[in-house]
Amino acid sequence: MEEFLIVDGYNIIGAWPELNKLKDTDLEGARDKLIHMLAEYQSYSGMKVYLVFDAYMVPGLGKKYVQSKLNVLYTKEKETADERIERLVTNLMGRRKQIYVATSDMIEQHVIFGKGALRLPAGELLIKIKQNRKEVRDRIQPETTAKRNPFEGKLSNELKAQFERWRRGE
């Protein structure tokens, strides 16, 4: 089954304490950090992630680009992120597809649930991302702490002692 995650960007930034604090001084930095976190999540989870930012008051046709293999969408003029997310859910819906929408907006959660997608509250997504990071660290940790010399376990004690004497010049 193919899985998709659609994320309401500014809603998530406002819901996650670290990003909410950062947005007050550096909104672009908060967006970049969210993009980075979701790109990591996408690569580990295998889900196809779409990140939607609201550009309701910005004139233009909207924008779509890929950054770190993550689909980032800006809405067009007079279109809300909620409208774009609903349209995206409708377009992606199909057999053998599971769509999740990450937002803390309860009205939006009910609307997308009615369209057949599953809701993922902002707090749950943050927990999933933190769990994935821990799993990655746990997988990497044993490899970095492994013995540096693969022959060490295969040598007899006498041979190890002989090598140690040679190393010391005895």
Side-chain angles (χ1 to χ4, degrees):
M1 179 170 285
E2 198 173 6
E3 292 185 309
F4 297 90
L5 172 64
I6 304 169
V7 179
D8 184 343
Y10 290 127
N11 185 280
I12 296 295
I13 287 174
W16 290 357
E18 180 183 355
L19 296 180
N20 191 27
K21 185 177 177 183
L22 181 59
K23 85 169 170 96
D24 294 335
T25 56
D26 184 11
L27 182 59
E28 188 174 341
R31 277 195 307 256
D32 289 342
K33 189 163 188 140
L34 178 60
I35 289 169
H36 177 74
M37 292 169 79
L38 290 174
E40 281 182 351
Y41 180 74
Q42 175 178 257
S43 66
Y44 186 77
S45 70
M47 294 177 101
K48 183 81 172 162
V49 179
Y50 292 86
L51 177 58
V52 180
F53 286 111
D54 197 338
Y56 183 79
M57 301 299 279
V58 179
L61 300 173
K63 186 173 154 184
K64 178 181 179 181
Y65 66 95
V66 177
Q67 182 175 334
S68 302
K69 297 183 182 179
L70 179 76
N71 291 296
V72 181
L73 306 135
Y74 286 89
T75 63
K76 60 186 176 186
E77 184 178 7
K78 296 186 181 172
E79 179 184 40
T80 65
D82 292 349
E83 291 168 335
R84 181 69 175 108
I85 289 168
E86 291 164 22
R87 199 168 76 238
L88 195 55
V89 167
T90 302
N91 292 342
L92 290 173
M93 195 56 70
R95 291 175 50 116
R96 302 198 38 81
K97 291 183 179 179
Q98 185 61 64
I99 301 170
Y100 299 88
V101 177
T103 182
S104 288
D105 182 342
M106 284 302 288
I107 294 171
E108 181 63 12
Q109 287 181 5
H110 289 294
V111 170
I112 58 93
F113 192 66
K115 290 183 174 279
L118 297 175
R119 57 186 186 247
L120 183 64
E124 283 185 38
L125 178 59
L126 184 58
I127 290 168
K128 285 179 178 259
I129 287 174
K130 287 180 178 180
Q131 286 173 339
N132 279 357
R133 283 184 170 175
K134 184 183 180 314
E135 287 176 25
V136 168
R137 274 194 310 272
D138 291 347
R139 284 179 125 180
I140 292 171
Q141 190 75 23
E143 293 174 18
T144 58
T145 59
K147 293 181 181 177
R148 291 178 56 169
N149 187 348
F151 295 111
E152 185 177 350
K154 296 181 170 110
L155 300 176
S156 69
N157 288 335
E158 294 169 3
L159 201 49
K160 286 180 190 176
Q162 179 65 41
F163 282 141
E164 183 62 23
R165 284 193 299 275
W166 286 349
R167 187 182 72 80
R168 293 179 186 220
E170 297 175 3

